[in-house]
Amino acid sequence: MNSSEHQSACVEVDVPVRQADLGRDGSASTIGMARRLEDARIRLPLHRFERLIAEDGFGPFRILLVGQRVSRLAPVGPVGTRVQVHTGVRRVGRSSFTFGQEAMVGDKHVGSGDATVVPADRSGPLRLPDELIADLDDMRLPEIGAAGWPAATRPSPERLHRAHSSYWTPLRSRIGDVDSNQHVNFIALATWYDEVVAAFTSDAIGTTVGGSVPDLPAWSYEIQYLGEVTYPGTYEIALTVRSLDARSVHYELGVFRDRTCLGVADAIGPRGELPATV
């Protein structure tokens, strides 16, 4: 997003770095960046839509996040550092819309992301009301030259099968991860992907019990949510290394319940001491 986009369309929200946002290197982690972008989204002005809800003109419904992308572009810290999150709207469809976001500390670009949102009821996605579309149009970003990623594509069919992945970590959902939609929150699911990357890098390097654990979390995630992860439940997180070079590793990840794939993610992280045999 350039400065003219900020002035004409974006809503700026200050979100301080919190202790829970910090990674092991003492700066805000990629998961912390995802929390910061979420904080900014939920504070956006949607006055027409809120008035419609208050007048019982829309609902009952719930807000579903069907995909998000987040990138940590530079270290941010210490606790209390003020991060300016600029949020605009990249796309508005019949039943979904997509935010685009950039995070700044002063003039320094420290993070970016987007999120695709669907209002839904028990029967499925709902058509966006005119009032919500009007609110979103106030934050619409130019389609040409806007920073960010291209539209997400559906995962290839082979990624939805267990045979695609070569490394697995079992995880059990926790009651503290369940949100008001009665499923595991999308931020909690992002931490599951962090968990399998940490387990994989530790095993690949040969970390022993009580030894130093490698600090190689992903710099960026592109996540698609394909089904609901619920409580209670036991799941497996899948990992495959798609490629690696001298500096970075590209991962393909997934969440499975038995043979059902409930979500996929693409991640990029530092290679560190990972051997070529991975």
Side-chain angles (χ1 to χ4, degrees):
M1 298 178 196
N2 57 41
S3 59
S4 63
E5 288 172 355
H6 287 165
Q7 294 170 359
S8 63
C10 284
V11 176
E12 180 180 328
V13 175
D14 278 4
V15 184
V17 174
R18 297 159 298 189
Q19 184 68 36
D21 295 333
L22 300 183
R24 290 166 53 205
D25 66 355
S27 64
S29 66
T30 307
I31 302 301
M33 180 63 67
R35 293 192 186 101
R36 192 166 299 105
L37 299 182
E38 179 195 26
D39 281 354
R41 291 195 300 270
I42 63 177
R43 292 160 63 182
L44 293 175
L46 299 172
H47 303 307
R48 302 176 186 88
F49 184 49
E50 291 168 357
R51 185 163 54 250
L52 178 68
I53 294 171
E55 295 172 352
D56 294 327
F58 187 75
F61 71 98
R62 56 180 181 162
I63 293 294
L64 301 178
L65 192 69
V66 298
Q68 70 164 327
R69 289 182 273 203
V70 58
S71 184
R72 176 182 183 257
L73 303 177
V76 179
V79 171
T81 300
R82 308 297 298 186
V83 181
Q84 296 80 45
V85 179
H86 303 270
T87 304
V89 175
R90 296 206 182 282
R91 187 192 66 83
V92 178
R94 296 182 61 184
S95 58
S96 67
F97 53 93
T98 300
F99 293 115
Q101 297 180 281
E102 304 288 348
M104 310 288 295
V105 175
D107 294 330
K108 187 175 182 180
H109 190 190
V110 299
S112 62
D114 63 27
T116 298
V117 176
V118 173
D121 61 14
R122 292 185 177 182
S123 65
L126 298 170
R127 188 181 182 93
L128 302 182
D130 293 340
E131 291 82 355
L132 177 56
I133 292 174
D135 285 333
L136 297 172
D137 280 342
D138 289 343
M139 297 179 282
R140 182 91 72 149
L141 297 171
E143 294 184 6
I144 304 298
W149 296 275
T153 58
R154 298 292 293 178
S156 58
E158 61 266 21
R159 292 195 57 182
L160 307 184
H161 296 282
R162 294 179 64 89
H164 179 73
S165 299
S166 55
Y167 185 89
W168 299 83
T169 291
L171 283 173
R172 184 171 178 82
S173 57
R174 300 169 298 183
I175 189 61
D177 296 334
V178 177
D179 61 18
S180 59
N181 288 327
Q182 304 305 311
H183 61 210
V184 173
N185 180 266
F186 69 92
I187 292 289
L189 285 174
T191 68
W192 289 16
Y193 292 129
D194 253 16
E195 186 72 26
V196 71
V197 171
F200 171 76
T201 54
S202 294
D203 287 349
I205 292 174
T207 302
T208 58
V209 175
S212 178
V213 178
D215 189 18
L216 300 172
W219 295 317
S220 67
Y221 283 111
E222 177 180 343
I223 302 173
Q224 296 184 60
Y225 305 94
L226 307 178
E228 290 190 309
V229 178
T230 56
Y231 175 90
T234 300
Y235 301 87
E236 291 179 281
I237 318 303
L239 178 148
T240 293
V241 174
R242 185 171 69 227
S243 64
L244 74 162
D245 54 36
R247 181 172 179 265
S248 61
V249 185
H250 292 243
Y251 300 101
E252 292 182 345
L253 311 167
V255 176
F256 283 79
R257 181 175 56 217
D258 298 324
R259 294 188 175 275
T260 303
C261 182
L262 299 172
V264 297
D266 294 280
I268 304 174
R271 175 170 173 172
E273 300 176 9
L274 289 177
T277 53
V278 301

